[in-house]
Amino acid sequence: MTLSKEQLLSVAHEYWDSSNEFLVRQEASPKRRKLDALWDEKLESLDPWNAFLRVLRNELPGYAVGSMVTPIDASFRCVVYPDKDSRPPSSCWIVVGCVSIVAPVYILYGVECEYEGGRLRNHKASLEQPPPDMAFPASVVARKIEATFGCSVVPREIAETPVPLFIEFKAPPETTLFHALFTSEPSSIP
């Protein structure tokens, strides 16, 4: 089922506050408590997510597949790295697949990194199409998310829609539907 931009905006307003008033209080806002309760429910059984990761690892033998389950976000994230032996010597583009827990939607994005001293540094998130060498894993991730979770993709232009909401440490006018439905820290990956 494909949701409209208006429907996705309505969902975002259910889980995130339009005021920063809650930041100065000791207790979580009612909207944050609602998101926390949803996470409690999702974390009771990680079997579908773990099965999905196993399928990805089988489908992508030349890549490293990782996972990020961070209850401050609104999504599960899988991360697909090129195998160390096939990584370019100076930079890398990592595929990230996000499955929202607040709506039946997903998105793929990339994180561009540079190598420095054998480590990935200078992470920069990008909603651009993957480079040719990462197009295959990106298509596998998208196909497997759709097949496993029945989600529809959120187009980039909708994901970039500004929202007047406070999402973790992001504030308007910086916040977008992407932040509300998936993560406020897309560059933060393992």
Side-chain angles (χ1 to χ4, degrees):
M1 174 173 101
T2 302
L3 298 178
S4 69
K5 178 170 70 171
E6 291 72 25
Q7 289 170 311
L8 293 172
L9 287 166
S10 178
V11 168
H13 282 276
E14 288 182 40
Y15 292 95
W16 301 104
D17 291 287
S18 58
S19 159
N20 65 354
E21 175 185 326
F22 69 92
L23 292 174
V24 296
R25 291 186 275 163
Q26 293 298 316
E27 74 276 357
S29 73
K31 291 182 179 192
R32 182 66 221 196
R33 286 195 300 272
K34 184 177 179 179
L35 183 61
D36 290 344
L38 183 56
W39 265 115
D40 289 344
E41 180 184 313
K42 296 292 183 184
L43 292 173
E44 283 181 16
S45 176
L46 292 173
D47 293 342
W49 182 249
N50 290 331
F52 164 73
L53 294 172
R54 282 191 298 277
V55 167
L56 271 188
R57 288 181 182 113
N58 287 335
E59 294 277 329
L60 298 169
Y63 299 87
V65 176
S67 174
M68 288 191 69
V69 178
T70 310
I72 62 167
D73 290 334
S75 69
F76 288 94
R77 288 191 283 168
C78 65
V79 185
V80 179
Y81 298 87
D83 192 302
K84 286 184 180 181
D85 296 333
S86 63
R87 288 181 188 165
S90 61
S91 66
C92 182
W93 205 88
I94 298 158
V95 173
V96 182
C98 295
V99 177
S100 180
I101 68 164
V102 299
V105 295
Y106 78 96
I107 198 164
L108 294 182
Y109 69 94
V111 176
E112 298 174 74
C113 303
E114 297 172 357
Y115 285 106
E116 189 176 298
R119 302 187 74 173
L120 295 172
R121 303 211 187 270
N122 301 321
H123 297 113
K124 180 183 171 200
S126 170
L127 289 174
E128 297 293 329
Q129 291 294 317
D133 63 321
M134 292 304 282
F136 172 72
S139 69
V140 169
V141 170
R143 192 172 65 250
K144 294 303 175 184
I145 286 174
E146 290 174 8
T148 305
F149 301 106
C151 298
S152 58
V153 68
V154 175
R156 176 184 176 180
E157 52 278 358
I158 292 177
E160 292 176 334
T161 301
V163 294
L165 301 171
F166 290 81
I167 302 166
E168 289 308 311
F169 299 106
K170 291 215 179 297
E174 193 178 319
T175 51
T176 66
L177 261 176
F178 175 89
H179 300 121
L181 298 172
F182 303 109
T183 179
S184 63
E185 293 293 333
S187 294
S188 177
I189 57 171

